[in-house]
Amino acid sequence: MPPADRLTTTFAALADPTRRAILSRLAAGECSVGELAKPFPMSMPAVSKHLRVLERAGLIAQTRQAQWRQCRIQAAPLKEVSEWTERYRQIWEERLDRLDEYVQQLHATQKKEKKSHGRKQHSK
Amino acid sequence: MPPADRLTTTFAALADPTRRAILSRLAAGECSVGELAKPFPMSMPAVSKHLRVLERAGLIAQTRQAQWRQCRIQAAPLKEVSEWTERYRQIWEERLDRLDEYVQQLHATQKKEKKSHGRKQHSK
DNA sequence: ATTATATTTAACTTATTAGTTAATTAACCT
DNA sequence: AGGTTAATTAACTAATAAGTTAAATATAAT
């Protein structure tokens, strides 16, 4: 198994509601593992493991402070997620160049169709 | 295990480079499973399984056409990904209200240290 | 020095994932 | 009908993931 690339690691880390909730909490400010764990119906070790996953993904960092570990969010990997996702914006917004092609092809196929439909018309 | 929520399913589907490559290919236009599979060093059934994952996540749809299955991208779930991610933009752009607070607090702490060493201090 | 607190590590279980090969389904073509 | 092509399903394996409880570690407080 080749080591996973960054985006893969990031997406995998985000594919868990507990971990996303942790990030959400940390967006409001640093806090300790114990505080972080409180809302979740699972053991501390389970939360600790989630933190490890987030840490390996570069999404959080921990610093010692007495017997507590303070966690803080590190959102840099989310920038890459954002950039990757943006490439698809045109598609989900459905002003699709791709759909244009499809529509054109449809018209080409149905040549007898009259073209005076003033509807949604896109040009390349 | 409760059924995974939408975001979880989407992120999980995206946490694989093969599946992201498939989406990327489909962004350029529909194509058949066989064509889709060609670039990948894995068997057809493996690709077919990836397509199933993408389909269950609502990221693609398949339509029969003779003996071929045409796949097309459905990017709607990516809108949710985008929206989720955007909530963290301020953080990764580091015009962080949060970091501001942190920095201020740091300054405050340092001032205090200069003044007096009286508080919770490491004693080694 | 002991004890309490915060957190991690270890060992284990169960479920899921990503891949394989072999068999099956479905549509097309003479 | 029989053969070819396209894709899926079945059955299996190996690795990873998410959780558990119990033990270990590290610091603070008494």
Side-chain angles (χ1 to χ4, degrees), chain B residues 17-48:
Chain B
T18 301
R19 288 194 288 263
R20 292 198 305 278
I22 287 172
L23 287 180
S24 176
R25 167 66 187 79
L26 290 179
E30 297 195 4
C31 82
S32 71
V33 176
E35 240 185 294
L36 223 40
K38 249 173 230 162
F40 302 107
M42 64 182 68
S43 65
M44 277 282 273
V47 172
S48 193

Side-chain angles (χ1 to χ4, degrees), chain A residues 69-80:
Chain A
R69 251 90 161 185
Q70 288 295 114
C71 303
R72 68 172 193 284
I73 192 172
Q74 295 188 145
L78 298 184
K79 186 181 179 185
E80 290 170 58

Side-chain angles (χ1 to χ4, degrees), chain A residues 1 19 42-43 45-46 49-50 66-67:
Chain A
M1 227 161 306
R19 288 195 289 264
M42 65 181 70
S43 64
K49 276 185 169 190
H50 282 304
Q67 68 256 237

Side-chain angles (χ1 to χ4, degrees), chain B:
Chain B
M1 225 160 297
D5 59 290
R6 210 146 164 54
L7 256 183
T8 295
T9 305
T10 305
F11 277 129
L14 298 178
D16 182 288
T18 301
R19 288 194 288 263
R20 292 198 305 278
I22 287 172
L23 287 180
S24 176
R25 167 66 187 79
L26 290 179
E30 297 195 4
C31 82
S32 71
V33 176
E35 240 185 294
L36 223 40
K38 249 173 230 162
F40 302 107
M42 64 182 68
S43 65
M44 277 282 273
V47 172
S48 193
K49 277 184 167 190
H50 281 304
L51 294 178
R52 205 78 334 131
V53 172
L54 290 168
E55 196 175 39
R56 274 191 275 113
L59 284 163
I60 68 165
Q62 279 180 305
T63 62
R64 285 206 86 114
Q65 201 145 299
Q67 68 255 235
W68 294 274
R69 250 90 159 186
Q70 289 295 113
C71 303
R72 67 171 193 284
I73 192 172
Q74 294 189 146
L78 298 183
K79 186 181 180 185
E80 289 170 58
V81 167
S82 173
E83 285 164 1
W84 183 89
T85 308
E86 281 308 308
R87 296 168 38 203
Y88 296 90
R89 174 178 291 279
Q90 291 202 342
I91 300 178
W92 79 64
E93 283 182 350
E94 317 234 26
R95 28 173 195 72
L96 311 180
D97 308 322
R98 251 194 53 259
L99 184 57
D100 285 351
E101 277 174 39
Y102 173 68
V103 169
Q104 310 242 315
Q105 189 192 327
L106 193 73
H107 281 215
T109 307
Q110 284 171 344
K111 265 190 222 164
K112 229 180 193 175
E113 273 175 14
K114 271 191 197 162
K115 279 167 87 178
S116 74
H117 270 245
R119 272 196 29 110
K120 286 191 182 176
Q121 214 67 349
H122 310 308
S123 51
K124 278 259 153 85

Side-chain angles (χ1 to χ4, degrees), chain A residues 24-41:
Chain A
S24 176
R25 167 66 188 78
L26 290 179
E30 297 195 7
C31 82
S32 72
V33 175
E35 238 185 295
L36 223 39
K38 247 174 233 164
F40 303 106

Side-chain angles (χ1 to χ4, degrees), chain A residues 43-58:
Chain A
S43 64
M44 276 284 270
V47 172
S48 194
K49 276 185 169 190
H50 282 304
L51 294 177
R52 205 79 336 140
V53 172
L54 289 168
E55 198 175 37
R56 274 190 275 114

